[in-house]
Amino acid sequence: MSDPLRHLLGLQDFEAAARRRLPKPIYAYVSGAVEDGQSERGNRQAYAQYAFRPRVLVDVSQRSTRTTVLGRDYAAPVGVAPMGIAALSSYRGDIVLARAAADADVPCIMSGSSLIRLEEVMQAAPGTWFQAYLPGDESQIAALIDRVAGAGVTTLVLTVDTPVAANRENNVRAGFSTPLRPSLGLAWQGLTHPRWLFGTFLRTLWRHGMPHFENNYATRGAPILSANVLRDFSDRGHLNWRHVAAIRRRWKGQMVIKGILHPDDARTARAQGMDGVIVSNHGGRQLDGSVSPLLALPDVVQAAGGMDVMLDSGVRRGSDVLKALALGARCVFVGRPFNYAATVAGQRGVARALSLIVEEVRRNMGMLGVVMLSQMTEDLLWRLPSQLDVADGADNAGG
């Protein structure tokens, strides 16, 4: 009997397969962006603005995808981005993602908006990074940081681009809400997607009870059906760099800021003692019209002053990874496709997705005449003129 995963040849292939398995509201939550989707489209379009200039007749027989991120050696410069409520789209999703990344020897960031206790994930996959959404009270922040340290986390990621709730109209149109509200429509979606209903949702209820947001605070958060979820996600508007400085004093491990797009914020992060930053617009899920991380990357790298700079949002191919590295990224993180892969085939699906993109990186290195990732430099790229540049040139060409 043939393995159905053999027909999934690139990261984009997992989305169609996952869409068939997931109820419409759950798929909408994972796939959706915000408002008109400008940022999400821009994230992909940015990669098309750069073309490769390969070097030929280079011995690439011994090329390696290994890289160092925050002082640790990894097998490839591709990691698993944090994804909220991953355990609702695949059974024990956070553990599945973390274990697959650990087996592939690549970094993984667990989401603070998760439905599995971080202690369980760290036990299953030591070395997983943890992304925290900070609560609104300084004493709660301190308690959460102490809990994260007690769980054995060594790399803390603070996501800072969610001061207020985003306008995710697509969720409303598809019937997804936070908290989840039982309805006839939601029940019908479950019944018409039995593999998800029995393999993920009812299996979770049977073995683990009603899912809660487990890691927003030092104590257990609200269940996914509770109205208190709105409060848990809406009290971040007053957070500022002073809170980051207090955490840096308290946290003894490595610390990364995620959600940087402006070079001035990279300079501030460096001054605050951060070990790295992740250039990100949250996959186009927060501020519509925000600049693509790839386009923002060079200025952030210049401002970072030696900090490790990483990137997420829009990465789908090994060629995307190499373009980001050529512009100064240390590694990249991928979100939605790995979520879909977990939906389709659990840990085996994520392993397949990781192997596909890492092999693309390795193959493209050979095509580019690159043996080590440190050789991926900007001189291997050619920035194509944008439509605006072409239009401006035509306007200025008259007599």
Side-chain angles (χ1 to χ4, degrees):
M1 184 175 179
S2 64
D3 184 352
L5 290 180
R6 292 179 61 85
H7 300 289
L8 302 176
L9 304 180
L11 293 194
Q12 301 282 37
D13 292 345
F14 288 90
E15 181 170 1
R19 186 172 190 171
R20 292 191 293 270
R21 289 178 178 248
L22 290 173
K24 181 180 177 182
I26 306 300
Y27 170 75
Y29 171 78
V30 178
S31 66
V34 65
E35 294 185 351
D36 299 321
Q38 295 179 38
S39 292
E40 184 187 29
R41 290 192 300 274
N43 290 344
R44 290 298 305 137
Q45 292 165 357
Y47 289 94
Q49 294 188 33
Y50 288 92
F52 289 118
R53 299 194 298 179
R55 304 298 301 272
V56 298
L57 294 175
V58 177
D59 181 354
V60 294
S61 60
Q62 301 300 315
R63 63 194 182 279
S64 170
T65 62
R66 299 204 71 85
T67 191
T68 301
V69 184
L70 299 179
R72 176 179 166 182
D73 185 56
Y74 288 101
V78 182
V80 178
M83 289 169 281
I85 65 173
L88 200 58
S89 51
S90 61
Y91 178 70
R92 307 305 277 169
D94 302 284
I95 292 176
V96 161
L97 291 162
R99 280 179 171 165
D103 287 350
D105 191 22
V106 297
C108 175
I109 310 175
M110 178 189 179
S111 172
S113 297
S114 44
L115 305 177
I116 300 175
R117 286 176 55 81
L118 71 95
E119 290 84 356
E120 293 183 56
V121 176
M122 297 305 151
Q123 184 176 13
T128 301
W129 305 7
F130 180 75
Q131 171 229 30
Y133 287 110
L134 298 183
D137 179 278
E138 290 191 23
S139 63
Q140 291 176 331
I141 292 174
L144 174 61
I145 297 304
D146 290 347
R147 176 189 168 190
V148 173
V153 174
T154 57
T155 302
L156 174 66
V157 180
L158 298 184
T159 291
V160 295
D161 58 1
T162 59
V164 297
N167 183 24
R168 299 183 186 175
E169 296 170 359
N170 66 295
N171 287 351
V172 179
R173 300 182 203 281
F176 183 90
S177 62
T178 305
L180 284 178
R181 295 185 177 91
S183 67
L184 289 176
L186 194 60
W188 175 249
Q189 284 292 319
L191 291 172
T192 54
H193 295 83
R195 284 184 293 184
W196 173 84
L197 178 64
F198 291 99
T200 300
F201 188 66
L202 293 180
R203 187 179 177 191
T204 298
L205 289 180
W206 176 258
R207 294 191 175 185
H208 310 283
M210 178 61 66
H212 285 59
F213 285 95
E214 298 283 4
N215 304 303
N216 284 324
Y217 298 94
T219 55
R220 193 180 203 192
I224 58 173
L225 299 179
S226 169
N228 288 335
V229 169
L230 292 176
R231 181 205 65 198
D232 289 357
F233 286 92
S234 62
D235 59 357
R236 303 169 184 154
H238 67 286
L239 297 171
N240 56 65
W241 285 106
R242 180 176 58 82
H243 296 92
V244 173
I247 296 168
R248 177 69 278 185
R249 290 192 296 269
R250 193 177 193 93
W251 179 256
K252 306 306 180 186
Q254 293 175 318
M255 190 166 163
V256 174
I257 297 287
K258 177 179 177 293
I260 297 292
L261 291 172
H262 199 291
D264 286 351
D265 287 335
R267 293 186 186 95
T268 303
R270 182 184 63 185
Q272 295 271 15
M274 298 301 110
D275 298 288
V277 297
I278 300 176
V279 185
S280 169
N281 66 9
H282 220 102
R285 296 166 70 88
Q286 287 303 116
L287 173 64
D288 204 19
S290 57
V291 64
S292 161
L294 188 75
L295 301 183
L297 180 61
D299 286 344
V300 172
V301 169
Q302 185 175 13
M307 277 191 306
D308 277 5
V309 176
M310 296 154 274
L311 174 144
D312 71 21
S313 305
V315 177
R316 295 295 180 269
R317 287 286 186 182
S319 56
D320 301 337
V321 177
L322 292 173
K323 289 174 182 179
L325 266 58
L327 293 174
R330 175 67 64 174
C331 75
V332 306
F333 291 91
V334 179
R336 292 179 181 95
F338 293 148
N339 191 306
Y340 297 139
T343 297
V344 172
Q347 186 173 332
R348 198 166 65 90
V350 182
R352 169 70 171 168
L354 279 166
S355 69
L356 285 171
I357 192 168
V358 172
E359 183 53 35
E360 288 178 359
V361 171
R362 182 178 291 108
R363 182 185 304 115
N364 288 340
M365 288 175 67
M367 298 285 190
L368 282 163
V370 169
V371 178
M372 299 178 295
L373 292 175
S374 59
Q375 296 171 339
M376 278 305 309
T377 51
E378 196 169 355
D379 70 300
L380 294 176
L381 298 183
W382 181 268
R383 178 75 183 267
L384 301 173
S386 68
Q387 292 181 351
L388 290 177
D389 293 335
V390 173
D392 185 60
D395 290 342
N396 292 328

